[in-house]
Amino acid sequence: MELGIFTIGDVTTDPTNGTTVSEHQRIKNTVELAKKAEEVGLDVFATGQHHNPPFVAPANPPILLANIAAQTQTLRLSTATTLITTTDPVRIAEDYSYAQHLSEGRISLIMGRGNTGPVYPWFGKDIRSGIPLAVENYNLLYRLWRERNLDWEGRFRTPLGGFTVTPWPLDDVPPFVWHGSIRSPEIAEQAAYYGDGFFHNNIFWPTSHTARMVQLYRQRYEYYGHGAARQAIVGLGGQVFMRKNSQDAVREFRPYFDNAPVYGHGPSLEDFSTQTPLTVGSPQQVIERTLSFREWAGDYQRQLFLIDHAGLPQKTVLEQLDLLGEEVIPVLRKEFAKNRPADVPDAPTHESLVARHRAGRDPIPGGGEGSRAHADRLAREAEAETGVNRK
Amino acid sequence: MKILSVTTSLSEDSSTLKLADRILSAAAAAGEEQGWTVETDHVNIRTLTTSLTDMTLTGFRSEELEEAFAKVAEADAIVTVTPVYKVAPVGVHTLFWQLIDDKALAGTPVLIGATGGTPRHSLAADSMLRPVLSYLKGLVVPTSVFAATDDWGSAEGGRSLGGRIRQAAEELVALTVSMRGLAVTEAGHASDAEADHATGAEAGHATGAEAGGFSVTEAGRPGARSRRGVDDEFDPELITPFAQLLQG
């Protein structure tokens, strides 16, 4: 189980005192946050990718992650998410294999589409093609990291002739990829097809909905023969604010909640806490809520918390990290390990992926021999064959 | 036959609620006259107002809202009644229909009702709500019912309103029956359970062998299947295989 934090890097005015940090300060704060995450014993730091205010810090994740990699030793670094729709797959392939080398394999990616229409044309794309872009671009990225001298032609970018990514992925093994989506079944299907991970941000929607997405991914993962449904690689987000005393947490967090970008001025803190996984309270409450995710998501591999948004002061955010490190993470590690079946894999690491690759056990996209997907394909081909013979 | 009222009653005992009740009982009477067992149910949008604004801002639905949307998807016919403000249906009423899943209303007959202070508001719901419901592929009956203060106040107004209600309710029932593709049996009775049974595995047998009995076919109920279960997109057996997405 990987436990960590993810940030969307928003520059939001602190509603309690009207101060706004500069972009420069926000970026420096984000680096400080990541370093502290390692110090207090978290496994992962993940950053979003955004190109529109108020989300400033994550405009360029590979640069941010490389900088953090240089200042940390063991912290795993991830995106949450990489815009697979509007970022050139060739750029993604080179940036992240470079970051993978610099970080000694501590890089992974979560793919996302981005839901802000006007951003797409800034990068020459169209939001109406969101899903087809995610499908084609990821397929290209997948091949770029695995095929040298690639010849490629598609709908959304100029063709490639004899292209080889530089630098080539570390130890011939690309960074692990998760696919993130809040409500598109196509993306759960995409993750299952490739045998990649599926990540749900688990922030804005009720768990009943998130559970259905996770369930769909797990069933399709099994269908494509990458393992049993319970062995699929699932990641979840979550949002917490903690104080030793839960009333203090609620009192302190309420103005930030009420004015937060995205959901501010909407539902009450109480309603949102009931309807979504948001937990504002004591560390013990956060532990209980987080452990309950396993009841509907199954044993999973990655848990990321959002702790640094909506204008919360850096000092407060660092205190949240202390609480996570001292009181929450050690208990979660112990409890998540209990009753976890031995055949449910841990979160993939560079080392585990290298071992898998060398053993010839890389997932086969679309399902290899012995999978239901493979059997269905053969049956369809046989049916088509019979049709031809009849003619 | 399930007829659902989706009505915005802003006060406890509003004239909008009264109109909805009268339309529902007229529709139930029209259905029963033809030998149907009619069930009626109410959704009052007033109780969902906070959920609707929350959904507008955050994208997620409260359990109450999920339940209301599911009731619409399961209903055989809808009666929707709104108060009119400034020559337009009140915003929360329209918002309900703007937020419901695209498929939830497809193929379902709908009757529009509206209330207002003066007859000058009479076409408000027709000109503003009808396009929304048509967009959702609801089958809006030609007659809609508008009731102004005059209609409640005088005997003449009341008689005329009663006539309009009967007319619209009969249209709703006739359309519902024809949409369900169900002829009433000789016994003069058809229940939903029997209808569902007949569209199942033995549909061919039931329709072919017993001429004069059910005349149900899958094709006779356009939209009826496709709108059932708005969450089918998460069914692993029904999703588009990735290889197909990859081909574009």
Side-chain angles (χ1 to χ4, degrees):
Chain A
M1 184 79 175
E2 270 182 347
L3 299 161
I5 51 172
F6 64 150
T7 178
I8 48 168
D10 57 315
V11 170
T12 303
T13 300
D14 183 334
T16 63
N17 59 21
T19 58
T20 311
V21 296
S22 65
E23 292 185 2
H24 179 73
Q25 193 57 51
R26 183 64 165 110
I27 291 168
K28 290 296 190 180
N29 286 351
T30 304
V31 174
E32 184 185 22
L33 196 61
K35 286 163 68 179
K36 172 110 180 172
E38 176 168 282
E39 256 172 63
V40 303
L42 270 60
D43 306 313
V44 196
F45 168 85
T47 176
Q49 177 186 350
H50 288 277
H51 302 279
N52 50 320
F55 310 104
V56 172
N60 201 322
I63 288 184
L64 174 62
L65 295 181
N67 182 275
I68 294 170
Q71 303 182 62
T72 52
Q73 274 73 48
T74 56
L75 186 66
R76 294 177 208 160
L77 305 163
S78 178
T79 59
T81 63
T82 294
L83 298 177
I84 185 67
T85 46
T86 48
T87 317
D88 182 3
V90 172
R91 205 55 273 145
I92 296 178
E94 295 210 333
D95 283 349
Y96 290 96
S97 56
Y98 210 135
Q100 190 197 25
H101 280 274
L102 289 173
S103 67
E104 304 292 343
R106 286 187 278 142
I107 294 280
S108 60
L109 290 90
I110 303 179
M111 299 300 166
R113 298 204 305 283
N115 61 3
T116 312
V119 173
Y120 282 68
W122 298 338
F123 296 89
K125 299 293 185 280
D126 181 340
I127 194 170
R128 290 169 297 180
S129 306
I131 294 273
L133 276 164
V135 168
E136 178 177 304
N137 284 354
Y138 180 66
N139 188 253
L140 173 55
L141 176 63
Y142 183 91
R143 296 184 59 191
L144 283 167
W145 272 338
R146 288 166 179 85
E147 297 175 39
R148 295 178 200 261
N149 303 312
L150 177 66
D151 294 326
W152 179 90
E153 214 173 307
R155 278 171 70 195
F156 296 112
R157 112 182 269 301
T158 48
L160 296 169
F163 179 75
T164 301
V165 161
T166 52
W168 191 246
L170 181 64
D171 303 320
D172 292 330
V173 172
F176 187 73
V177 170
W178 308 72
H179 300 264
S181 177
I182 296 176
R183 60 150 298 118
S184 301
E186 294 92 337
I187 299 302
E189 167 73 359
Q190 181 181 34
Y193 177 89
Y194 289 100
D196 291 340
F198 177 72
F199 183 86
H200 196 289
N201 89 355
N202 199 27
I203 286 183
F204 303 119
W205 285 60
T207 49
S208 57
H209 165 84
T210 308
R212 281 209 307 264
M213 285 284 282
V214 169
Q215 195 54 25
L216 171 63
Y217 160 69
R218 285 187 181 281
Q219 288 165 309
R220 296 297 288 179
Y221 185 92
E222 180 168 307
Y223 174 77
Y224 286 116
H226 306 307
R230 68 175 185 285
Q231 296 172 314
I233 309 295
V234 172
L236 296 176
Q239 190 185 358
V240 297
F241 186 85
M242 291 169 286
R243 288 297 179 199
K244 299 260 175 204
N245 178 328
S246 64
Q247 279 95 25
D248 291 342
V250 171
R251 197 176 314 117
E252 186 177 344
F253 189 63
R254 189 183 301 280
Y256 297 96
F257 176 88
D258 287 346
N259 294 285
V262 185
Y263 55 71
H265 309 284
S268 69
L269 175 59
E270 284 71 15
D271 282 352
F272 205 75
S273 300
T274 316
Q275 290 162 347
T276 79
L278 169 68
T279 310
V280 181
S282 65
Q284 187 53 37
Q285 285 172 300
V286 168
I287 289 166
E288 282 164 19
R289 192 77 181 274
T290 308
L291 288 174
S292 77
F293 296 171
R294 188 160 64 158
E295 289 161 19
W296 50 263
D299 287 292
Y300 62 110
Q301 281 75 15
R302 170 180 273 192
Q303 173 65 52
L304 301 180
F305 294 106
L306 174 65
I307 57 168
D308 71 327
H309 78 316
L312 286 163
Q314 180 74 353
K315 181 171 167 291
T316 308
V317 175
L318 295 174
E319 287 162 4
Q320 295 298 305
L321 264 184
D322 280 327
L323 285 168
L324 271 182
E326 281 161 26
E327 304 198 23
V328 176
I329 299 294
V331 183
L332 288 183
R333 266 193 222 295
K334 205 168 83 216
E335 294 296 320
F336 273 130
K338 276 188 193 159
N339 305 322
R340 190 181 172 100
D343 64 351
V344 170
D346 287 328
T349 60
H350 183 68
E351 293 67 35
S352 74
L353 294 174
V354 168
R356 185 175 79 176
H357 180 66
R358 293 192 177 149
R361 287 187 290 105
D362 285 335
I364 299 166
E369 271 179 50
S371 66
R372 267 169 59 214
H374 188 255
D376 281 357
R377 255 198 323 274
L378 290 183
R380 268 197 309 277
E381 278 163 22
E383 204 172 295
E385 190 79 5
T386 322
V388 171
N389 289 345
R390 271 199 209 119
K391 278 181 195 166
Chain B
M1 185 188 293
K2 285 184 194 161
I3 307 180
L4 177 71
S5 149
V6 180
T7 290
T8 303
S9 171
L10 294 172
S11 60
E12 193 70 8
D13 189 28
S14 65
S15 54
T16 307
L17 190 61
K18 283 201 180 71
L19 180 60
D21 281 341
R22 285 189 58 182
I23 296 172
L24 268 191
S25 44
E32 276 155 13
E33 215 167 88
Q34 294 191 31
W36 290 81
T37 309
V38 180
E39 283 171 49
T40 60
D41 198 359
H42 267 291
V43 167
N44 184 357
I45 293 177
R46 182 190 207 281
T47 63
L48 301 169
T49 304
T50 307
S51 298
L52 287 168
T53 53
D54 286 354
M55 184 176 165
T56 310
L57 294 172
T58 64
F60 76 76
R61 314 106 171 281
S62 65
E63 272 173 40
E64 296 79 21
L65 207 48
E66 291 267 23
E67 269 170 39
F69 288 165
K71 276 187 181 179
V72 170
E74 283 158 18
D76 297 307
I78 302 282
V79 171
T80 189
V81 190
T82 177
V84 173
Y85 282 22
K86 321 282 187 213
V87 211
V90 69
V92 289
H93 189 84
T94 318
L95 190 56
F96 178 90
W97 292 113
Q98 287 172 315
L99 295 185
I100 199 167
D101 307 81
D102 275 5
K103 285 181 210 156
L105 194 67
T108 306
V110 189
L111 189 167
I112 295 174
T115 59
T118 86
R120 282 184 287 281
H121 292 304
S122 63
L123 286 176
D126 263 307
S127 61
M128 301 194 141
L129 199 52
R130 189 179 282 270
V132 177
L133 300 171
S134 297
Y135 176 87
L136 290 165
K137 299 191 165 56
L139 304 167
V140 188
V141 298
T143 303
S144 43
V145 181
F146 179 81
T149 311
D150 301 2
D151 294 303
W152 307 107
S154 67
E156 190 194 336
R159 268 197 301 281
S160 150
L161 175 63
R164 296 203 297 281
I165 289 173
R166 257 194 315 283
Q167 167 72 27
E170 278 164 16
E171 287 171 13
L172 183 73
V173 167
L175 190 56
T176 306
V177 170
S178 76
M179 282 313 294
R180 289 182 62 83
L182 254 190
V184 177
T185 59
E186 280 166 27
H189 178 79
S191 77
D192 285 356
E194 284 161 335
D196 282 344
H197 175 72
T199 55
E202 300 112 311
H205 170 74
T207 54
E210 297 168 38
F214 290 116
S215 58
V216 182
T217 62
E218 200 59 38
R221 299 176 58 189
R225 281 286 151 187
S226 60
R227 88 186 145 80
R228 287 283 151 86
V230 286
D231 293 319
D232 279 350
E233 56 177 335
F234 296 106
D235 184 337
E237 301 303 323
L238 295 179
I239 74 160
T240 311
F242 191 75
Q244 213 167 305
L245 293 175
L246 206 49
Q247 280 161 11

